[in-house]
Amino acid sequence: PKHTPPGTTFPPTFSVSEIKNKQRRHQMFMKLKQEKRKQKMQLKKKRRKEREALGDKAPPKEVPKTIENQRVFDETTVDPEDEEIAFDEGTDEFSAYFNGLTNPKVLITTSDRPRGRVVKFCEQLATVIPNAHVYYRRGLALKRIIPQCIARDFTYLIVINQDRQTPNGLVLCHLPDGPTAHFKVSSVRLQKELKRRGKAPTEHSPEVILNNFSTRLGHTIGRLFAALFPQNPQFVGRQVATFHNQRDFIFFRFHRYIFKNEKKVGIQELGPRFTLKLRSLQKGTFDSKYGEFEWVLKRHEMDACRRKFQL
Amino acid sequence: MQHDDVIWDIIGNKQFCSFKVKTKSQNFCRNEYSITGVCNRSSCPLANSQYATIREEKGQCFLYMKEIERAAFPARMWEKVKLSKNYEKALEQIDENLIYWPRFLRHKCKQRFTKITQYLIRMRKLVLKRQRKLVPLSRKVESREKRKEEKALIAAQLDNAIEKELLERLKQGTYGDIYNFPVYAFDKALEQQDAESESDAEEEEEEDDEVMGGSFYKSLCLMIEKVFYSERVFPFVQDVGQREFVAEDEVEESDLSDFEDMNKLKTSSDEEEQDESSEEEEEEEVQASRSKGKSPANGSLVRKKRAYVEIEYEQETESASRRRTT
């Protein structure tokens, strides 16, 4: 290297960041990186050779650390055999649905003066969820809508909030007196904007997939979503709605599937896609002032640890 | 002495008044004691020594009066009277206090008072209705969440997860009888398993299923092939991996020298070919429509195994060329 003053030992004991000239500094940095990469490759090769040499006796491959691996153990994680939780779920607000007594009937509405994408989003949601009706909100108070809905046998109320003509919030209220969940909606893709899309969703009731809802809170939310759809899906329709929870983000997708053979299935996306993040869960129906909040997103506490998730 | 006209002459028209707001059509007065907000000779609080206003503080209305006798004492210049909350009583109070005052001031005071009570009523009503709460977004937090969402999406591997879940449901039998294979093929496979029962039953089942395939027509064709060519049906071919060297003549059926036989073969195989090809075309079409043309062209596989003969016909077209020359 050009910068070694005479008399110093090799390797040169300067750091790359001390060079004032930008080009030369860049060159030295590139060289440094190349060296490092080379060493890494050599190390890898060596390890692979050792592993092959040992054959069966080689130590098992190290699993890379992911956030899911390192997740802080949540004490509210549901054990499949937990009796208390089974009992709870047998007697909570969804028990009527899960015992087959009620059929879901969903009312979709927006905040005041819906514009643009929100309207289309509502319509597409209505095609995805069977037995859903879209109603125009004419400045009515939610507290007055809710008794009317209950009187007309609705089981769910969805309110889509908007900000600059795109949906950004979702309030999901289970009607007789069920929990109300408030979500933040992001990355909404309408049906037109999807690539390689299939034709419009048909009237068949889709199947539901709920992934990764592991804690107690996650269970409640999972049941909240499950109760949106009718209990007996029509397999003829071959449609599936997925709610996938990953690191507290719930991804919604709607696909049509076909089994090519026992080992392979092809899926084709129809329908809108969006992501939800839970902001609050409230015990009764929608009541922002006096409601009893079961869970509220408190950013400072909850975002402090990267490996801790609530759902 | 108070020379109202002089004052008005100066501030109204010629020189500067700090409370005056000029617009294209009109001049406004920003003085807090002004009774109308317009800059006029009769509604300027500076240019009138006898003046009255209504002002509102925290829902309470007050009548302010200015008299010429107190013009020398600025601290005591404005007299403040609290008006009752009852609208009519307040109007009477105004009348009582502004008795013998110029008509203009009395009228304007009452008008202003009416306006103020109206807007107070509206404020009270609005509080009862739904109020829109504006929640500020923090840019840092939003961008952080967006990033986290992207990473979560990548980590989720949604398509794989969904496919896995669906396959698991298929295995567990939640779909019941819809995706079943043709019944007799399945039974035959089961019989073969019972007969042999060397390795695990599951493995064989899986192999059978894999081999037979999923779609109805494909499985039918292949099943027919397998029933005749499968090594398991003919028990004397037990060694699966062993090689057998066979003479060339026995294998090559297409090198038939007998012309009659060839004809017979040709017609029958042709018919079969036509039938099979039409069937396969249909099947391919069905498959293409269902899975976007991803399925392999199985027709070719099936065609290879069957014996067939290619015959070329040459036709002489000399007459046509002769006609052209002449």
Side-chain angles (χ1 to χ4, degrees):
Chain A
K2 297 173 191 174
H3 291 273
T4 333
T8 54
T9 53
F10 191 80
T13 50
F14 61 89
S15 78
V16 176
S17 53
E18 279 170 20
I19 307 174
K20 299 291 183 182
N21 187 331
K22 186 171 180 175
Q23 272 192 340
R24 285 211 196 115
R25 189 170 65 231
H26 184 67
Q27 278 175 10
M28 295 306 286
F29 182 66
M30 285 295 154
K31 265 196 211 166
L32 194 74
K33 277 247 151 155
Q34 267 182 7
E35 283 293 322
K36 277 195 185 162
R37 231 182 289 154
K38 221 165 136 186
Q39 283 174 10
K40 196 173 168 189
M41 288 300 289
Q42 283 173 356
L43 199 63
K44 254 193 181 173
K45 263 193 186 169
K46 204 172 77 179
R47 273 214 201 121
R48 208 194 306 158
K49 274 200 185 138
E50 282 175 15
R51 159 170 253 106
E52 279 171 16
L54 286 177
D56 279 334
K57 297 180 211 156
K61 238 182 179 177
E62 292 163 38
V63 181
K65 294 188 196 171
T66 61
I67 294 186
E68 282 80 26
N69 287 348
Q70 307 294 90
R71 179 175 174 173
V72 167
F73 176 71
D74 202 344
E75 57 204 5
T76 58
T77 315
V78 171
D79 196 18
E81 288 118 40
D82 202 336
E83 286 175 357
E84 192 185 316
I85 291 186
F87 177 71
D88 263 344
E89 293 188 353
T91 54
D92 76 352
E93 293 108 353
F94 301 108
S95 53
Y97 165 77
F98 282 107
N99 293 336
L101 296 170
T102 54
N103 253 347
K105 194 172 171 197
V106 179
L107 175 70
I108 304 182
T109 182
T110 62
S111 57
D112 291 341
R113 305 251 182 107
R115 306 277 206 104
R117 301 186 62 193
V118 184
V119 178
K120 289 190 196 155
F121 181 60
C122 284
E123 288 168 22
Q124 290 181 6
L125 256 190
T127 53
V128 161
I129 304 177
N131 206 2
H133 306 271
V134 182
Y135 277 95
Y136 184 55
R137 170 104 166 270
R138 286 147 23 112
L140 302 168
L142 276 181
K143 291 217 192 128
R144 290 216 198 106
I145 296 183
I146 288 177
Q148 288 187 20
C149 285
I150 298 179
R152 289 178 209 197
D153 259 351
F154 278 96
T155 53
Y156 261 100
L157 174 69
I158 299 183
V159 184
I160 297 182
N161 204 20
Q162 67 169 10
D163 168 50
R164 284 203 215 143
Q165 291 135 35
T166 52
N168 77 338
L170 188 107
V171 175
L172 185 59
C173 184
H174 182 76
L175 270 184
D177 49 336
T180 312
H182 176 43
F183 297 95
K184 174 173 93 137
V185 171
S186 43
S187 42
V188 175
R189 298 272 175 274
L190 300 176
Q191 279 170 351
K192 258 198 192 175
E193 297 158 9
L194 293 175
K195 294 185 187 174
R196 289 184 278 275
R197 175 173 62 96
K199 295 191 193 146
T202 58
E203 289 290 322
H204 300 114
S205 345
E207 304 168 38
V208 182
I209 292 182
L210 299 164
N211 274 345
N212 283 352
F213 288 96
S214 53
T215 63
R216 187 74 190 83
L217 180 66
H219 249 242
T220 322
I221 303 283
R223 284 159 74 79
L224 199 68
F225 287 132
L228 266 177
F229 297 92
Q231 268 273 33
N232 301 320
Q234 295 168 309
F235 298 125
V236 183
R238 283 189 284 125
Q239 289 172 145
V240 59
T242 312
F243 292 90
H244 182 105
N245 170 39
Q246 187 83 14
R247 303 184 194 172
D248 280 354
F249 287 99
I250 302 171
F251 298 102
F252 171 82
R253 299 285 187 271
F254 193 72
H255 290 281
R256 180 166 280 143
Y257 63 88
I258 171 171
F259 284 107
K260 292 184 199 162
N261 58 33
E262 261 248 327
K263 303 271 174 165
K264 264 178 67 171
V265 59
I267 52 176
Q268 198 187 42
E269 185 156 8
L270 336 163
R273 63 156 84 154
F274 51 90
T275 357
L276 299 170
K277 182 157 201 235
L278 182 68
R279 272 210 270 227
S280 69
L281 180 66
Q282 188 186 16
K283 257 288 141 159
T285 54
F286 181 75
D287 193 341
S288 44
K289 273 198 242 172
Y290 305 112
E292 174 201 340
F293 280 92
E294 198 177 307
W295 185 85
V296 172
L297 174 75
K298 291 187 200 115
R299 197 167 46 84
H300 280 287
E301 291 173 19
M302 295 171 186
D303 272 7
C305 177
R306 274 174 217 247
R307 292 177 288 279
K308 191 162 202 292
F309 302 112
Q310 319 297 327
L311 287 184
Chain B
M1 290 219 41
Q2 278 285 74
H3 301 282
D4 293 341
D5 292 325
V6 176
I7 296 176
W8 176 248
D9 206 28
I10 296 174
I11 61 173
N13 293 318
K14 289 193 188 148
Q15 289 190 22
F16 179 74
C17 171
S18 66
F19 299 107
K20 191 195 272 194
V21 173
K22 272 187 173 178
T23 45
K24 275 189 197 162
S25 50
Q26 236 192 10
N27 293 341
F28 292 103
C29 184
R30 275 192 329 157
N31 195 326
E32 50 194 12
Y33 287 99
S34 161
I35 190 156
T36 62
V38 186
C39 188
N40 265 338
R41 173 68 183 87
S42 43
S43 35
C44 185
L46 304 173
N48 288 310
S49 28
Q50 196 186 42
Y51 199 74
T53 327
I54 309 279
R55 277 176 76 189
E56 175 259 330
E57 260 171 60
K58 292 183 198 164
Q60 282 276 355
C61 294
F62 297 94
L63 171 65
Y64 285 78
M65 290 178 287
K66 168 172 133 175
E67 265 141 35
I68 194 164
E69 286 87 29
R70 299 197 297 270
F73 311 105
R76 282 182 263 149
M77 200 154 60
W78 290 97
E79 185 186 336
K80 186 171 164 179
V81 175
K82 184 167 170 179
L83 296 172
S84 97
K85 296 236 170 153
N86 187 345
Y87 182 68
E88 276 104 42
K89 277 200 191 149
L91 285 181
E92 283 171 13
Q93 269 181 308
I94 293 176
D95 263 335
E96 188 191 311
N97 276 306
L98 296 183
I99 196 169
Y100 308 130
W101 279 53
R103 211 178 12 191
F104 174 79
L105 281 172
R106 258 186 286 148
H107 183 61
K108 287 294 174 188
C109 274
K110 285 186 208 161
Q111 270 191 340
R112 194 179 164 93
F113 177 68
T114 315
K115 241 322 159 347
I116 290 178
T117 43
Q118 283 175 349
Y119 82 59
L120 285 174
I121 292 170
R122 210 184 315 145
M123 270 169 68
R124 273 178 251 142
K125 265 199 210 160
L126 274 178
V127 171
L128 293 175
K129 269 196 182 175
R130 354 179 347 248
Q131 284 174 332
R132 186 168 299 180
K133 188 174 166 194
L134 292 176
V135 178
L137 295 177
S138 158
R139 224 180 304 181
K140 254 200 215 171
V141 173
E142 291 302 307
S143 66
R144 228 188 285 156
E145 297 253 304
K146 203 164 156 225
R147 194 100 177 94
K148 279 193 190 165
E149 188 192 318
E150 284 167 12
K151 300 223 165 182
L153 182 62
I154 296 171
Q157 293 178 350
L158 282 169
D159 290 340
N160 288 350
I162 298 176
E163 287 173 9
K164 222 167 72 174
E165 177 70 30
L166 287 170
L167 285 170
E168 260 196 52
R169 285 191 186 180
L170 180 68
K171 277 211 179 106
Q172 284 176 358
T174 43
Y175 297 125
D177 288 336
I178 308 177
Y179 296 107
N180 226 354
F181 314 113
V183 181
Y184 46 98
F186 201 60
D187 283 346
K188 204 126 202 175
L190 280 177
E191 280 174 29
Q192 288 156 28
Q193 278 167 48
D194 292 338
E196 289 198 20
S197 69
E198 274 181 6
S199 41
D200 289 349
E202 289 168 11
E203 281 183 39
E204 284 186 356
E205 221 180 300
E206 273 180 358
E207 279 179 32
D208 271 342
D209 292 345
E210 211 178 338
V211 150
M212 303 248 181
S215 94
F216 187 84
Y217 304 102
K218 189 166 57 165
S219 61
L220 195 60
C221 292
L222 284 176
M223 188 225 68
I224 296 172
E225 297 298 331
K226 278 297 158 186
V227 165
F228 289 110
Y229 296 112
S230 156
E231 288 152 359
R232 300 215 178 111
V233 178
F234 300 99
F236 49 81
V237 185
Q238 269 176 8
D239 302 322
V240 177
Q242 235 193 29
R243 294 173 196 205
E244 220 181 337
F245 292 97
V246 187
E248 227 180 308
D249 304 329
E250 296 171 20
V251 175
E252 293 282 304
E253 287 179 325
S254 58
D255 281 340
L256 282 172
S257 49
D258 208 337
F259 213 77
E260 292 172 7
D261 287 343
M262 236 165 66
N263 268 332
K264 269 194 221 161
L265 247 180
K266 178 200 152 190
T267 48
S268 59
S269 65
D270 261 357
E271 278 176 16
E272 269 178 59
E273 259 188 37
Q274 280 168 16
D275 289 340
E276 296 281 332
S277 63
S278 60
E279 221 185 88
E280 274 147 351
E281 273 171 28
E282 281 175 26
E283 158 210 323
E284 272 180 38
E285 276 174 31
V286 166
Q287 279 188 359
S289 65
R290 277 165 108 197
S291 54
K292 281 185 148 185
K294 281 185 190 170
S295 61
N298 275 318
S300 56
L301 248 180
V302 185
R303 269 187 209 130
K304 271 183 203 162
K305 290 194 176 174
R306 208 174 303 113
Y308 70 99
V309 176
E310 269 186 14
I311 299 179
E312 283 180 16
Y313 291 100
E314 271 186 23
Q315 285 181 357
E316 293 185 357
T317 51
E318 284 175 29
S319 54
S321 59
R322 272 188 194 165
R323 274 178 209 161
R324 275 184 206 156
T325 49
T326 53

